[in-house]
Amino acid sequence: MAVSISNNLASLRSSIPEGVTLVAVSKFHPAEALMEAYQAGQRVFGESRALELEAKAQELPGDIDWHFIGHLQTNKVRKVVGHASLIHSIDSERLLRAVDEEAAKAGRRIGVLLQLHVAREETKFGFTPDELLEFVTPGLLASLKAVEIRGVMGMASNVDDDTRIRSDFREIRSTFDRLKTTVFAGHPEFSTVSMGMSHDWPIAVDEGSNMIRVGTFIFGEREY
Ligand SMILES: *Cc1c(COP(=O)(O)O)cnc(C)c1O
């Protein structure tokens, strides 16, 4: 039986608490699939590759709010800055500076989230909590011209152990809270905790996520 994107979206929306933003992760899915979600009222979409984001942004309606969620190479920053309103995956100072430069050149303000690495897997990108707490200083914030740091993004370990998943999300949230009460005190724009995917978003929301990134549950399995 074919997946019904609009039914999947409706059932997901009915279970997400108010105040939690749903990013429909549409990477690897064709424009028609995104249009079905769009027609069901979805406006926030997440993509993970610069060229795919650009192609879809050019083809699909102009009121879509594009988020970039994948690992971003500095040579692709310009493309992403041209289309995305929020980049979830800032994982190095070099990338943050590159986004700031490109956004300033383009005369755009762009939101970013700092990616935290708490999961067990070695290969994941991002700052450890300690690295992030050291990296983000009032001096850093003052030096940014066009980037607004709006929060953090993270993933839990890819395991079946709910206890481990929960403790990963808790660590992401508590790192956000430490930043919020120190260097971002008085910065209302620092308000987003992006965590939770198809299989673990209820735990993420329970642990304080206010933005979930869900792909497979809405669009079905991806064909890479
Ligand atoms: C692909 C992806 C998702 C969506 O994962 P699903 O399991 O399909 O819901 C969420 N976040 C990031 C960073 C991703 O790359």
Side-chain angles (χ1 to χ4, degrees), residues 138-160:
L140 174 78
L141 300 195
S143 73
L144 297 171
K145 303 181 288 274
V147 154
E148 192 169 82
I149 300 177
R150 301 211 183 125
V152 301
M153 182 274 258
M155 278 176 261
S157 302
N158 188 14
V159 293
D160 281 334

Side-chain angles (χ1 to χ4, degrees), residues 25 27 48 69-70 153 155 196-199 213-217 220 222 224:
V25 175
K27 63 189 186 193
S48 64
I69 63 168
M153 182 274 258
M155 278 176 261
M197 308 170 28
S198 290
H199 67 287
R213 310 176 310 272
V214 177
T216 307
F217 183 86
R222 289 177 286 274
Y224 292 99

Side-chain angles (χ1 to χ4, degrees), residues 23-29 46-48 68-71 88-89 115 153-155 194 196-201 212-222 224:
V23 179
V25 175
S26 46
K27 63 189 186 193
F28 296 92
H29 291 288
E47 288 286 335
S48 64
F68 191 82
I69 63 168
H71 179 60
H88 290 227
S89 42
Q115 184 171 351
M153 182 274 258
M155 278 176 261
S194 166
M197 308 170 28
S198 290
H199 67 287
D200 59 13
W201 72 262
I212 62 175
R213 310 176 310 272
V214 177
T216 307
F217 183 86
I218 299 170
F219 296 106
E221 296 291 337
R222 289 177 286 274
Y224 292 99

Side-chain angles (χ1 to χ4, degrees), residues 35-98:
M35 267 320 284
E36 190 177 339
Y38 180 89
Q39 272 150 5
Q42 183 66 25
R43 289 295 179 273
V44 184
F45 290 87
E47 288 286 335
S48 64
R49 296 188 305 181
L51 290 169
E52 188 176 343
L53 166 63
E54 180 174 58
K56 286 175 174 168
Q58 283 165 355
E59 178 175 355
L60 289 160
D63 63 342
I64 289 179
D65 184 10
W66 296 102
H67 289 192
F68 191 82
I69 63 168
H71 179 60
L72 179 55
Q73 291 162 318
T74 47
N75 64 349
K76 302 269 173 54
V77 164
R78 185 173 308 165
K79 277 195 196 313
V80 170
V81 164
H83 299 289
S85 68
L86 187 67
I87 299 174
H88 290 227
S89 42
I90 298 295
D91 58 7
S92 70
E93 173 163 15
R94 183 159 170 257
L95 179 60
L96 181 66
R97 300 280 179 206

Side-chain angles (χ1 to χ4, degrees), residues 60-201:
L60 289 160
D63 63 342
I64 289 179
D65 184 10
W66 296 102
H67 289 192
F68 191 82
I69 63 168
H71 179 60
L72 179 55
Q73 291 162 318
T74 47
N75 64 349
K76 302 269 173 54
V77 164
R78 185 173 308 165
K79 277 195 196 313
V80 170
V81 164
H83 299 289
S85 68
L86 187 67
I87 299 174
H88 290 227
S89 42
I90 298 295
D91 58 7
S92 70
E93 173 163 15
R94 183 159 170 257
L95 179 60
L96 181 66
R97 300 280 179 206
V99 170
D100 194 42
E101 286 302 319
E102 288 298 340
K105 261 192 239 167
R108 274 181 83 115
R109 275 196 82 67
I110 188 158
V112 301
L113 306 179
L114 302 168
Q115 184 171 351
L116 273 161
H117 170 75
V118 298
R120 181 180 292 179
E121 293 83 31
E122 294 281 335
T123 55
K124 292 269 164 64
F125 297 101
F127 298 92
T128 66
D130 285 345
E131 284 166 353
L132 197 61
L133 294 166
E134 192 174 320
F135 171 56
V136 184
T137 59
L140 174 78
L141 300 195
S143 73
L144 297 171
K145 303 181 288 274
V147 154
E148 192 169 82
I149 300 177
R150 301 211 183 125
V152 301
M153 182 274 258
M155 278 176 261
S157 302
N158 188 14
V159 293
D160 281 334
D161 174 7
D162 281 5
T163 310
R164 169 75 204 206
I165 291 170
R166 185 175 290 279
S167 79
D168 286 348
F169 286 142
R170 193 167 290 177
E171 196 177 356
I172 294 165
R173 174 72 206 205
S174 73
T175 307
F176 169 86
D177 288 338
R178 279 188 63 184
L179 289 167
K180 181 77 188 157
T181 52
T182 54
V183 69
F184 287 104
H187 283 261
E189 77 284 1
F190 188 80
S191 58
T192 298
V193 182
S194 166
M195 56 186 196
M197 308 170 28
S198 290
H199 67 287
D200 59 13
W201 72 262

